[in-house]
Coordinates of all heavy atoms in Angstrom, one line a residue:
M1 N -27.8 39.1 12.0 CA -29.1 38.6 11.7 C -30.2 39.7 11.6 O -31.1 39.4 10.8 CB -29.6 37.6 12.9 CG -28.7 36.3 12.8 SD -29.3 34.9 13.8 CE -31.0 35.0 13.8
I2 N -30.0 40.7 12.4 CA -31.0 41.8 12.2 C -31.0 42.4 10.8 O -32.0 42.6 10.2 CB -30.7 42.9 13.2 CG1 -31.0 42.4 14.7 CG2 -31.5 44.2 13.0 CD1 -30.5 43.3 15.8
N3 N -29.8 42.5 10.2 CA -29.6 42.9 8.8 C -30.5 42.1 7.9 O -31.2 42.5 7.0 CB -28.2 43.1 8.4 CG -27.5 44.3 8.9 OD1 -28.2 45.2 9.4 ND2 -26.3 44.2 9.1
F4 N -30.4 40.7 8.1 CA -31.1 39.8 7.2 C -32.5 39.9 7.4 O -33.3 39.8 6.5 CB -30.6 38.3 7.5 CG -29.2 38.0 7.0 CD1 -28.3 37.6 7.9 CD2 -28.9 38.3 5.7 CE1 -27.0 37.2 7.5 CE2 -27.6 38.0 5.3 CZ -26.6 37.5 6.2
R5 N -33.0 40.1 8.7 CA -34.4 40.3 8.9 C -34.9 41.5 8.2 O -36.0 41.5 7.6 CB -34.7 40.4 10.4 CG -34.7 39.1 11.2 CD -35.1 39.3 12.5 NE -34.8 38.2 13.4 CZ -33.8 38.2 14.2 NH1 -33.0 39.3 14.4 NH2 -33.4 37.1 14.9
L6 N -34.1 42.6 8.2 CA -34.5 43.9 7.6 C -34.6 43.6 6.1 O -35.6 44.1 5.4 CB -33.6 45.0 7.9 CG -33.6 45.4 9.4 CD1 -32.5 46.5 9.7 CD2 -35.0 46.0 9.7
Q7 N -33.8 42.9 5.5 CA -33.7 42.7 4.0 C -35.0 41.9 3.7 O -35.6 42.1 2.6 CB -32.4 42.0 3.7 CG -31.2 42.9 3.7 CD -29.9 42.1 3.4 OE1 -30.0 40.9 3.1 NE2 -28.9 42.8 3.4
I8 N -35.2 40.8 4.5 CA -36.4 40.0 4.2 C -37.7 40.8 4.3 O -38.5 40.7 3.4 CB -36.4 38.8 5.1 CG1 -35.2 37.8 4.7 CG2 -37.8 38.1 4.9 CD1 -35.1 36.7 5.6
Q9 N -37.8 41.7 5.3 CA -39.0 42.4 5.6 C -39.1 43.5 4.4 O -40.3 43.6 3.8 CB -38.9 43.2 6.8 CG -39.1 42.2 8.0 CD -38.8 42.9 9.4 OE1 -38.2 43.9 9.5 NE2 -39.3 42.2 10.4
E10 N -38.1 44.0 3.9 CA -38.2 44.9 2.8 C -38.6 44.2 1.5 O -39.4 44.7 0.8 CB -36.9 45.6 2.5 CG -36.4 46.7 3.5 CD -35.0 47.2 3.4 OE1 -34.4 47.1 2.3 OE2 -34.6 47.9 4.4
G11 N -38.1 43.1 1.3 CA -38.4 42.2 0.1 C -40.0 41.8 0.2 O -40.7 41.8 -0.8
L12 N -40.5 41.5 1.5 CA -41.9 41.2 1.6 C -42.8 42.5 1.3 O -43.9 42.3 0.8 CB -42.1 40.7 3.0 CG -41.6 39.3 3.3 CD1 -41.8 38.9 4.7 CD2 -42.3 38.3 2.3
E13 N -42.3 43.6 1.7 CA -43.0 44.8 1.4 C -43.1 45.1 -0.2 O -44.1 45.5 -0.6 CB -42.4 46.0 2.1 CG -42.6 46.0 3.6 CD -41.9 47.1 4.3 OE1 -41.3 48.1 3.6 OE2 -41.8 47.1 5.6
T14 N -42.0 44.8 -0.9 CA -41.9 45.0 -2.3 C -42.7 44.0 -3.0 O -43.4 44.2 -4.0 CB -40.4 45.0 -2.7 OG1 -39.7 46.0 -1.9 CG2 -40.3 45.2 -4.2
S15 N -42.6 42.7 -2.5 CA -43.3 41.5 -3.1 C -43.9 40.7 -2.1 O -43.4 39.7 -1.7 CB -42.1 40.8 -3.8 OG -42.4 40.6 -5.1
P16 N -45.2 41.1 -1.7 CA -45.9 40.3 -0.7 C -46.1 38.8 -1.0 O -46.2 38.0 -0.1 CB -47.3 41.0 -0.6 CG -47.0 42.4 -1.2 CD -45.9 42.2 -2.2
S17 N -46.0 38.4 -2.3 CA -46.2 37.1 -2.7 C -45.1 36.2 -2.2 O -45.2 35.0 -2.1 CB -46.4 36.9 -4.1 OG -45.2 37.4 -4.8
L18 N -44.0 36.8 -1.8 CA -42.8 36.0 -1.3 C -43.2 35.3 0.0 O -42.5 34.4 0.4 CB -41.6 36.9 -1.1 CG -40.9 37.3 -2.4 CD1 -39.8 38.4 -2.1 CD2 -40.4 36.2 -3.2
K19 N -44.1 35.9 0.8 CA -44.4 35.3 2.1 C -44.9 33.9 1.9 O -44.5 33.1 2.8 CB -45.5 36.2 2.8 CG -45.8 35.8 4.2 CD -46.5 36.8 5.1 CE -46.5 36.3 6.5 NZ -46.9 37.3 7.3
S20 N -45.7 33.6 1.0 CA -46.0 32.1 0.9 C -44.9 31.2 0.6 O -44.8 30.1 1.1 CB -47.1 32.0 -0.2 OG -46.6 32.2 -1.5
F21 N -43.9 31.7 -0.2 CA -42.6 30.9 -0.4 C -41.9 30.8 0.9 O -41.4 29.7 1.2 CB -41.8 31.7 -1.5 CG -40.4 31.1 -1.6 CD1 -40.2 29.9 -2.3 CD2 -39.3 31.7 -1.1 CE1 -39.0 29.3 -2.3 CE2 -38.0 31.2 -1.2 CZ -37.8 30.0 -1.8
L22 N -41.7 31.9 1.7 CA -41.1 31.8 3.0 C -41.7 30.7 3.9 O -41.0 30.1 4.6 CB -40.9 33.2 3.6 CG -39.9 34.1 3.1 CD1 -40.0 35.4 3.7 CD2 -38.5 33.6 3.3
Q23 N -43.0 30.8 3.9 CA -43.7 29.9 4.8 C -43.5 28.5 4.3 O -43.4 27.6 5.2 CB -45.2 30.2 4.8 CG -45.5 31.5 5.6 CD -46.9 32.0 5.5 OE1 -47.6 31.7 4.4 NE2 -47.4 32.6 6.6
D24 N -43.4 28.2 3.1 CA -43.1 26.9 2.6 C -41.7 26.4 3.0 O -41.6 25.1 3.2 CB -43.3 26.9 1.0 CG -44.7 27.0 0.6 OD1 -45.6 26.9 1.4 OD2 -45.0 27.4 -0.6
V25 N -40.8 27.2 3.0 CA -39.3 26.7 3.1 C -38.9 27.0 4.6 O -37.8 26.5 5.0 CB -38.4 27.4 2.2 CG1 -38.7 27.0 0.7 CG2 -38.3 28.8 2.4
F26 N -39.6 27.6 5.4 CA -39.3 28.0 6.8 C -38.8 26.8 7.6 O -37.6 26.8 8.1 CB -40.4 28.7 7.5 CG -40.1 29.1 8.9 CD1 -39.0 30.0 9.2 CD2 -40.8 28.6 10.0 CE1 -38.7 30.4 10.5 CE2 -40.5 28.9 11.3 CZ -39.5 29.8 11.5
T27 N -39.6 25.8 7.7 CA -39.3 24.7 8.5 C -38.1 23.9 7.9 O -37.2 23.5 8.8 CB -40.4 23.7 8.8 OG1 -41.5 24.4 9.4 CG2 -40.1 22.5 9.7
K28 N -38.1 23.7 6.7 CA -37.0 22.9 6.0 C -35.7 23.7 6.2 O -34.6 23.1 6.6 CB -37.3 22.9 4.5 CG -36.2 22.2 3.7 CD -36.3 22.2 2.3 CE -35.2 21.5 1.5 NZ -35.5 21.5 0.1
Q29 N -35.6 25.0 6.2 CA -34.5 25.8 6.3 C -34.0 25.7 7.8 O -32.8 25.8 8.1 CB -34.6 27.2 5.8 CG -34.7 27.2 4.3 CD -33.5 26.5 3.5 OE1 -32.4 26.6 3.9 NE2 -33.9 25.7 2.5
Y30 N -35.0 25.8 8.7 CA -34.6 25.7 10.1 C -33.9 24.4 10.4 O -32.8 24.3 11.0 CB -35.9 25.8 11.0 CG -35.6 25.5 12.5 CD1 -35.2 26.4 13.3 CD2 -35.6 24.2 13.0 CE1 -34.8 26.1 14.6 CE2 -35.4 23.8 14.3 CZ -35.0 24.9 15.1 OH -34.7 24.5 16.5
K31 N -34.4 23.3 9.8 CA -33.8 22.0 10.0 C -32.4 21.9 9.4 O -31.5 21.3 10.0 CB -34.6 20.9 9.5 CG -35.9 20.7 10.4 CD -36.8 19.6 9.8 CE -38.1 19.5 10.7 NZ -38.8 18.2 10.6
N32 N -32.2 22.5 8.3 CA -30.9 22.6 7.6 C -30.0 23.3 8.4 O -28.8 22.9 8.6 CB -31.0 23.2 6.2 CG -31.7 22.2 5.2 OD1 -31.8 21.1 5.5 ND2 -32.2 22.7 4.1
S33 N -30.4 24.5 8.9 CA -29.5 25.3 9.8 C -29.1 24.6 11.1 O -28.1 24.7 11.6 CB -30.2 26.6 10.1 OG -30.5 27.3 9.0
R34 N -30.1 23.9 11.6 CA -29.9 23.1 12.8 C -28.8 22.0 12.6 O -27.8 22.0 13.4 CB -31.2 22.4 13.4 CG -31.0 21.5 14.6 CD -32.3 20.8 14.9 NE -32.0 20.0 16.1 CZ -31.7 18.7 16.0 NH1 -31.4 18.1 14.9 NH2 -31.6 18.1 17.2
K35 N -28.8 21.3 11.5 CA -27.8 20.5 11.2 C -26.5 21.1 11.0 O -25.4 20.5 11.5 CB -28.2 19.7 9.8 CG -29.2 18.6 10.0 CD -29.6 18.0 8.6 CE -30.8 17.1 8.6 NZ -31.1 16.7 7.3
L36 N -26.4 22.2 10.2 CA -25.1 23.0 10.1 C -24.5 23.4 11.5 O -23.3 23.1 11.7 CB -25.3 24.1 9.2 CG -25.6 23.8 7.8 CD1 -26.0 25.1 7.1 CD2 -24.4 23.1 7.1
L37 N -25.4 23.9 12.3 CA -24.9 24.3 13.6 C -24.4 23.1 14.5 O -23.3 23.2 15.0 CB -26.0 25.0 14.4 CG -25.7 25.4 15.9 CD1 -24.7 26.5 15.9 CD2 -26.9 25.8 16.6
L38 N -25.1 22.0 14.4 CA -24.7 20.9 15.2 C -23.4 20.3 14.7 O -22.6 19.8 15.5 CB -25.8 19.8 15.3 CG -27.0 20.2 16.1 CD1 -28.2 19.1 15.9 CD2 -26.8 20.5 17.5
N39 N -23.1 20.3 13.4 CA -22.0 19.7 12.8 C -20.8 20.7 13.1 O -19.6 20.2 13.2 CB -22.2 19.6 11.3 CG -23.0 18.4 10.9 OD1 -23.1 17.5 11.7 ND2 -23.6 18.4 9.7
A40 N -21.1 22.0 13.2 CA -20.0 23.0 13.4 C -19.6 23.2 14.8 O -18.6 23.8 15.2 CB -20.3 24.4 12.8
S41 N -20.5 22.6 15.7 CA -20.3 22.9 17.1 C -20.2 21.5 17.9 O -20.6 20.5 17.3 CB -21.3 23.8 17.7 OG -22.6 23.0 17.7
E42 N -20.0 21.7 19.1 CA -20.1 20.5 20.0 C -21.4 20.5 20.9 O -21.4 19.8 21.8 CB -18.8 20.4 20.9 CG -17.6 20.2 20.2 CD -16.3 20.1 21.1 OE1 -16.5 20.0 22.3 OE2 -15.2 20.2 20.5
L43 N -22.3 21.1 20.4 CA -23.6 21.3 21.1 C -24.4 19.9 21.1 O -24.4 19.3 20.0 CB -24.5 22.4 20.4 CG -25.7 22.8 21.1 CD1 -25.5 23.3 22.5 CD2 -26.6 23.7 20.2
D44 N -24.9 19.6 22.2 CA -25.7 18.4 22.3 C -26.9 18.6 21.5 O -27.7 19.6 21.7 CB -26.0 18.1 23.8 CG -26.9 16.8 24.0 OD1 -27.2 16.2 22.9 OD2 -26.9 16.4 25.1
A45 N -27.2 17.7 20.6 CA -28.4 17.8 19.6 C -29.7 17.9 20.5 O -30.7 18.4 20.0 CB -28.5 16.6 18.7
H46 N -29.8 17.3 21.7 CA -31.0 17.3 22.4 C -31.3 18.8 23.0 O -32.5 19.0 23.4 CB -30.9 16.4 23.6 CG -30.8 14.9 23.2 ND1 -29.7 14.3 23.0 CD2 -31.9 14.1 22.8 CE1 -30.0 13.0 22.6 NE2 -31.2 13.0 22.4
L47 N -30.4 19.6 23.0 CA -30.5 21.0 23.5 C -31.2 21.9 22.4 O -31.7 22.9 22.7 CB -29.2 21.6 23.9 CG -28.5 20.9 25.1 CD1 -27.1 21.5 25.2 CD2 -29.4 21.0 26.3
M48 N -31.2 21.4 21.2 CA -31.8 22.3 20.1 C -33.0 21.5 19.5 O -32.7 20.5 18.9 CB -30.7 22.6 19.0 CG -31.2 23.6 18.0 SD -29.9 24.2 17.0 CE -30.7 25.4 16.1
P49 N -34.1 22.1 19.6 CA -35.3 21.4 19.1 C -35.2 21.0 17.6 O -34.6 21.8 16.8 CB -36.4 22.4 19.3 CG -35.9 23.4 20.2 CD -34.5 23.4 20.1
E50 N -35.8 19.9 17.3 CA -35.8 19.4 15.9 C -36.6 20.3 15.0 O -36.4 20.5 13.8 CB -36.2 18.0 15.7 CG -35.1 17.0 16.3 CD -35.4 15.6 16.0 OE1 -36.0 15.3 15.0 OE2 -35.0 14.7 16.8
D51 N -37.6 20.8 15.5 CA -38.6 21.7 14.8 C -38.5 23.1 15.5 O -38.3 23.2 16.7 CB -40.0 21.2 14.8 CG -40.1 19.9 14.1 OD1 -39.8 19.8 12.9 OD2 -40.6 18.9 14.6
P52 N -38.8 24.2 14.7 CA -38.7 25.4 15.3 C -39.8 25.7 16.4 O -40.9 25.2 16.2 CB -39.0 26.4 14.2 CG -39.5 25.6 13.1 CD -39.1 24.2 13.3
E53 N -39.5 26.3 17.5 CA -40.4 26.6 18.5 C -40.9 28.0 18.4 O -41.4 28.7 19.4 CB -39.7 26.4 19.9 CG -39.3 25.0 20.2 CD -38.8 24.8 21.5 OE1 -38.3 25.7 22.1 OE2 -38.9 23.6 22.0
F54 N -40.9 28.6 17.2 CA -41.3 30.0 16.9 C -41.9 30.0 15.5 O -41.6 29.1 14.7 CB -40.2 30.9 17.1 CG -38.8 30.5 16.5 CD1 -38.7 30.8 15.1 CD2 -37.9 29.8 17.2 CE1 -37.5 30.3 14.5 CE2 -36.7 29.4 16.5 CZ -36.6 29.6 15.2
T55 N -42.7 31.0 15.2 CA -43.3 31.1 13.9 C -42.3 31.9 13.0 O -41.4 32.6 13.5 CB -44.7 31.9 14.0 OG1 -44.4 33.2 14.5 CG2 -45.6 31.1 14.9
L56 N -42.7 31.9 11.7 CA -41.9 32.7 10.8 C -42.0 34.2 11.2 O -41.1 34.9 11.2 CB -42.5 32.5 9.3 CG -42.0 33.4 8.3 CD1 -40.4 33.3 8.1 CD2 -42.7 33.2 7.0
E57 N -43.2 34.6 11.6 CA -43.4 36.0 12.0 C -42.5 36.3 13.2 O -41.9 37.5 13.3 CB -44.9 36.3 12.3 CG -45.8 36.3 11.1 CD -46.1 34.9 10.6 OE1 -45.9 33.8 11.3 OE2 -46.6 34.8 9.4
Q58 N -42.5 35.4 14.2 CA -41.5 35.7 15.3 C -40.1 35.8 14.9 O -39.3 36.6 15.4 CB -41.7 34.6 16.4 CG -43.1 34.8 17.0 CD -43.3 33.5 17.9 OE1 -43.0 32.4 17.6 NE2 -43.9 33.8 19.1
A59 N -39.7 34.9 14.0 CA -38.3 34.9 13.4 C -37.9 36.1 12.8 O -36.9 36.6 12.8 CB -38.1 33.7 12.5
L60 N -38.9 36.8 12.0 CA -38.6 38.0 11.3 C -38.8 39.3 12.3 O -38.3 40.3 11.8 CB -39.6 38.1 10.1 CG -39.4 37.1 9.0 CD1 -40.5 37.3 7.9 CD2 -38.0 37.2 8.5
D61 N -39.3 39.1 13.3 CA -39.6 40.2 14.3 C -38.3 40.3 15.2 O -38.1 39.5 16.1 CB -40.8 40.1 15.1 CG -41.1 41.1 16.1 OD1 -40.4 42.2 16.0 OD2 -42.0 41.0 16.9
S62 N -37.5 41.3 14.9 CA -36.3 41.5 15.8 C -36.5 41.5 17.2 O -35.7 41.1 18.0 CB -35.4 42.6 15.2 OG -36.1 43.8 15.4
V63 N -37.6 42.1 17.7 CA -37.9 42.3 19.1 C -38.2 40.9 19.7 O -37.7 40.4 20.7 CB -39.0 43.2 19.4 CG1 -39.3 43.2 20.9 CG2 -38.6 44.6 18.9
S64 N -39.1 40.1 19.0 CA -39.5 38.8 19.5 C -38.2 37.8 19.4 O -38.0 37.0 20.3 CB -40.5 38.2 18.6 OG -41.8 38.9 18.7
A65 N -37.5 38.0 18.4 CA -36.3 37.0 18.2 C -35.3 37.2 19.4 O -34.6 36.3 19.8 CB -35.6 37.3 16.9
C66 N -35.3 38.4 19.9 CA -34.3 38.7 21.0 C -34.8 38.3 22.3 O -34.0 38.1 23.3 CB -34.0 40.2 21.1 SG -33.0 40.8 19.6
T67 N -36.1 38.0 22.5 CA -36.7 37.5 23.7 C -36.9 36.0 23.8 O -37.4 35.6 24.8 CB -38.0 38.3 24.0 OG1 -38.9 38.0 23.0 CG2 -37.7 39.8 24.1
I68 N -36.7 35.3 22.8 CA -36.9 33.8 22.8 C -35.9 33.2 23.6 O -34.6 33.5 23.5 CB -36.8 33.2 21.3 CG1 -37.9 33.7 20.5 CG2 -36.8 31.7 21.4 CD1 -37.9 33.4 19.0
T69 N -36.3 32.4 24.6 CA -35.4 31.8 25.5 C -35.6 30.2 25.4 O -36.6 29.8 25.1 CB -35.7 32.2 27.0 OG1 -37.0 31.9 27.3 CG2 -35.5 33.7 27.1
T70 N -34.6 29.5 25.9 CA -34.7 28.0 25.8 C -34.7 27.5 27.2 O -34.4 28.2 28.2 CB -33.5 27.4 25.0 OG1 -32.2 27.8 25.7 CG2 -33.5 27.8 23.6

């Protein structure tokens, strides 16, 4: 995941206009990822929030992402 964060951050540095696109799809992609995870695991759906409990900036910040707790 850190590699993906770095790639996205590099893309944003090269093309700052991508940030508005990321903000537009962030919640939708979180929800899609949640569905995939729940379908692939036996995790109780109530344990994973339906909406992200973090911002796009926090998701892209590798230090913040490592300190998010449930």
